[in-house]
């Protein structure tokens, strides 16, 4: 591919940034519900369909159903504030993410009531995407929302992996961890899932409300203790009770339940790689399931980019090339800055790259929101760190304070998309020109 160098990447200083944004947009487009929902809808016989759902893509998924279903539609989905879209038949409720609120609790209770009202012969379509764990928040009997809010906040700050966080969420919930499927049975249910987790395990995505759960209450308690999180007595009592156990594989409630994973990080990374090759740039997908501390993973990616530049290529591919990866990193928060794992990842990488020529990078969350901020992520180019020093911005201190957002904002390096109405997790691209 080296002979096909796109000249503008070398002659126009803004071209690498535009190119990286094109790849990000291609990854997001591949996971848009308007494209990935219709092929997986159940057979449309003109009959009624009840639609239930939760996640950052829930409103867009509901719209896609409405556009392609001929029979009567009713239902309710819950999505994050700012991620709603107008619908004709399926009600859309907005609630808080990543820490749940009362709006999410009310919506989850209504969804559970609709599920329990479904009977034999009824058809139910469940639309599940990333973010559903927080949005579909209905505490188990004897637990309060405020308790779940406090524990969720602690889990998000301590650096726990998403599967660990969701193990806890499932066992403190009246609706997640397969309990929605339990409420739906024996009605026929079909779940469509957009994956935002490494490995695409449907029992982890939105804490698997319609999926059998192999994890245990003892494991949930162990997660809390592993990270030194104080366990309220009501939570400990609940997790030590048989009532906290979730429906397990083989339970009869899953006999009439079907599930399809319709969009994944891997599919989106492949779409970005195709777009790169169309532009004459070789592409290597490192992995779609990279986890770990964000700043450390940023350093690792920077080292791979260094290696590609020094060696004139990577894995048999010649320069120019782009290194792509996905997954979900974590941030162990100790400072008081404005972060986001993708901005923190990129700041860690930028400090390692330190303006070496010929390497550009972008990291962003495909839902358009990096953590709790208004940006999807950030972009890096050679010269950024020199500009930071000129403006007396200390990248190391920003990293220590978890203020990558503030660092990139001051340098005009934020990537802002607004809500994308989908979510296939983190997207990272390192463009190595030589």
């Amino acid at each position: 591919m080296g002979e096909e160098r796109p000249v503008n990447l070398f002659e126009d200083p803004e071209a690498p940034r535009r190119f990286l944004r094109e790849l990000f947009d291609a990854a997001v487009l591949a996971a848009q519900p308007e494209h990935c929902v219709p092929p997986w809808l159940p057979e449309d016989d003109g009959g009624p369909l009840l639609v239930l759902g939760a996640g950052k893509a829930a409103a867009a998924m509901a719209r896609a159903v409405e556009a392609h279903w001929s029979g009567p539609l009713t239902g309710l989905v819950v999505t994050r504030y700012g991620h709603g879209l107008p619908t004709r038949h399926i009600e859309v409720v907005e609630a808080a993410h990543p820490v749940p609120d009362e709006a999410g609790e009310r919506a989850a209770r209504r969804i559970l009531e609709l599920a329990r009202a479904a009977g034999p012969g009824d058809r139910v379509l469940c639309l599940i995407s990333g973010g559903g764990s927080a949005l579909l928040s209905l505490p188990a009997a004897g637990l309060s929302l405020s308790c779940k809010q406090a524990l969720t906040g602690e889990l998000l700050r301590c650096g726990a992996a998403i599967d660990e966080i969701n193990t806890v969420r499932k066992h403190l919930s009246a609706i997640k961890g397969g309990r929605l499927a339990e409420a739906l049975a024996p009605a026929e249910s079909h779940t469509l899932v957009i994956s935002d987790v490494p490995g695409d395990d449907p029992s982890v995505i939105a804490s698997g409300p319609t999926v059998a759960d192999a994890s245990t209450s003892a494991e949930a308690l162990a997660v809390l203790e592993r990270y030194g999180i104080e366990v309220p007595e009501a939570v400990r009592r609940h997790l030590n009770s048989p009532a906290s156990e979730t429906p397990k594989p083989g339970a009869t409630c899953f006999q009439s339940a079907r599930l399809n994973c319709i969009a994944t990080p891997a599919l989106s990374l492949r779409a970005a790689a195709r777009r790169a090759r169309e532009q004459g740039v070789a592409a290597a997908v490192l992995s779609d399931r990279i986890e770990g501390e964000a700043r450390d993973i940023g350093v690792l990616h920077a080292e791979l980019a260094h290696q590609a530049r020094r060696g004139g290529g990577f894995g048999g591919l010649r320069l120019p090339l782009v290194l792509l990866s996905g997954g979900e990193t974590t941030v162990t928060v100790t400072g008081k800055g404005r972060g986001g794992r993708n901005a923190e990842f990129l700041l860690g990488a930028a400090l390692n790259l330190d303006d070496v020529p010929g390497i550009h990078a972008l990291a962003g969350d495909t839902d358009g929101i990096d953590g709790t901020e208004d940006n999807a992520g950030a972009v890096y180019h050679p010269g950024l760190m020199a500009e930071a020093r000129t403006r007396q911005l200390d990248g190391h201190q920003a990293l220590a304070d978890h203020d990558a957002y503030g660092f990139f904002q001051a340098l005009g390096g934020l990537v802002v998309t607004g809500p994308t109405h989908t979510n296939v997790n983190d997207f990272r691209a390192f463009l190595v020109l030589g």
Side-chain angles (χ1 to χ4, degrees):
M1 299 287 288
E3 294 75 19
E4 300 180 30
R5 288 189 175 190
V7 177
N8 65 340
L9 284 180
F10 296 86
E11 295 182 352
D12 180 355
E14 288 298 312
R17 180 171 181 156
R18 290 197 301 269
F19 171 80
L20 290 170
R21 178 59 188 270
E22 277 189 43
L23 301 193
F24 178 78
D25 290 344
V28 170
L29 183 63
Q32 281 297 324
E34 64 184 295
H35 302 305
C36 61
V37 166
W40 295 99
L41 289 174
E43 182 180 356
D44 185 355
D45 58 2
L49 185 67
L50 172 65
V51 179
L52 307 174
K56 297 173 188 176
M61 294 175 83
R63 275 172 60 111
V65 174
E66 290 190 342
H68 292 86
W69 189 263
S70 65
L73 283 171
T74 57
L76 170 64
V77 301
V78 56
T79 192
R80 182 175 178 162
Y81 289 122
H83 292 239
L85 292 168
T87 51
R88 300 188 308 277
H89 309 291
I90 303 165
E91 183 181 355
V92 175
V93 171
E94 295 185 353
H97 178 279
V99 178
D101 69 355
E102 292 81 1
E105 181 182 30
R106 289 193 297 269
R109 181 171 283 109
R110 290 178 59 200
I111 287 172
L112 193 61
E113 290 169 355
L114 289 168
R116 287 172 174 160
D122 290 333
R123 288 208 291 176
V124 184
L125 181 65
C126 298
L127 307 174
I128 303 299
S129 57
S133 289
L135 296 164
L136 202 64
S137 187
L138 183 61
L143 300 180
S144 67
L145 178 64
S146 61
C147 179
K148 287 198 71 174
Q149 289 171 325
L151 288 177
T152 299
E154 290 289 331
L155 286 164
L156 291 169
R157 286 189 291 271
C158 74
I162 188 62
D163 59 329
E164 294 176 313
I165 295 173
N166 286 358
T167 293
V168 175
R169 285 166 157 166
K170 284 187 253 189
H171 291 89
L172 301 181
S173 176
I175 193 168
K176 295 190 281 284
R179 294 192 185 277
L180 180 58
E182 196 173 45
L184 283 167
E188 176 189 333
S189 68
H190 188 174
T191 299
L192 302 184
V193 175
I194 293 179
S195 172
D196 72 324
V197 302
D200 307 324
D201 183 347
S203 72
V204 178
I205 302 162
S207 296
T210 62
V211 182
D213 176 39
S215 72
T216 66
S217 299
E219 290 170 342
L221 186 58
V223 169
L224 295 171
E225 293 175 341
R226 183 179 311 132
Y227 289 98
I229 296 172
E230 183 177 350
V231 182
E233 183 54 37
V235 170
R236 188 177 295 277
R237 188 166 54 249
H238 173 74
L239 291 177
N240 284 323
S241 164
S244 68
E245 273 308 345
T246 47
K248 302 303 177 196
T252 57
C253 63
F254 301 111
Q255 291 178 355
S256 57
R258 294 173 53 204
L259 182 143
N260 292 104
C261 197
I262 63 173
T264 67
L267 291 172
S268 284
L269 288 172
R270 287 203 288 271
R274 284 195 301 272
R275 181 60 182 151
R277 293 173 188 130
E278 289 168 0
Q279 298 296 308
V281 177
V285 177
L286 302 175
S287 173
D288 67 325
R289 53 190 303 175
I290 294 176
E291 300 178 86
E293 193 70 24
R295 65 182 66 189
D296 298 334
I297 301 301
V299 171
L300 173 62
H301 280 62
E303 286 297 328
L304 292 174
H306 275 303
Q307 176 185 331
R309 179 176 178 272
R310 289 192 298 265
F314 181 89
L317 301 173
R318 298 185 62 80
L319 303 184
L321 67 83
V322 63
L323 303 174
L324 301 167
S325 76
E328 183 167 2
T329 61
T330 53
V331 175
T332 304
V333 179
T334 55
K336 296 182 179 180
R338 301 175 67 187
R341 62 180 184 259
N342 286 284
E344 180 147 329
F345 163 91
L346 200 60
L347 182 51
L351 289 168
N352 182 282
L353 292 169
D354 197 21
D355 291 338
V356 64
I359 300 178
H360 302 252
L362 181 149
D365 196 319
T366 54
D367 68 1
I369 306 295
D370 191 18
T372 59
E373 302 302 336
D374 59 2
N375 65 314
V379 65
Y380 162 86
H381 61 84
L384 187 80
M385 304 312 290
E387 183 182 351
R389 287 187 285 270
T390 298
R391 300 179 60 175
Q392 298 185 321
L393 296 171
D394 187 337
H396 291 282
Q397 188 59 51
L399 199 58
D401 292 339
H402 298 286
D403 193 24
Y405 179 99
F407 181 85
F408 284 109
Q409 182 185 45
L411 296 167
L414 294 178
V415 174
V416 179
T417 65
T420 64
H421 304 289
T422 190
N423 184 18
V424 284
N425 226 317
D426 297 340
F427 171 90
R428 317 177 193 102
F430 282 70
L431 173 64
V432 186
L433 298 176

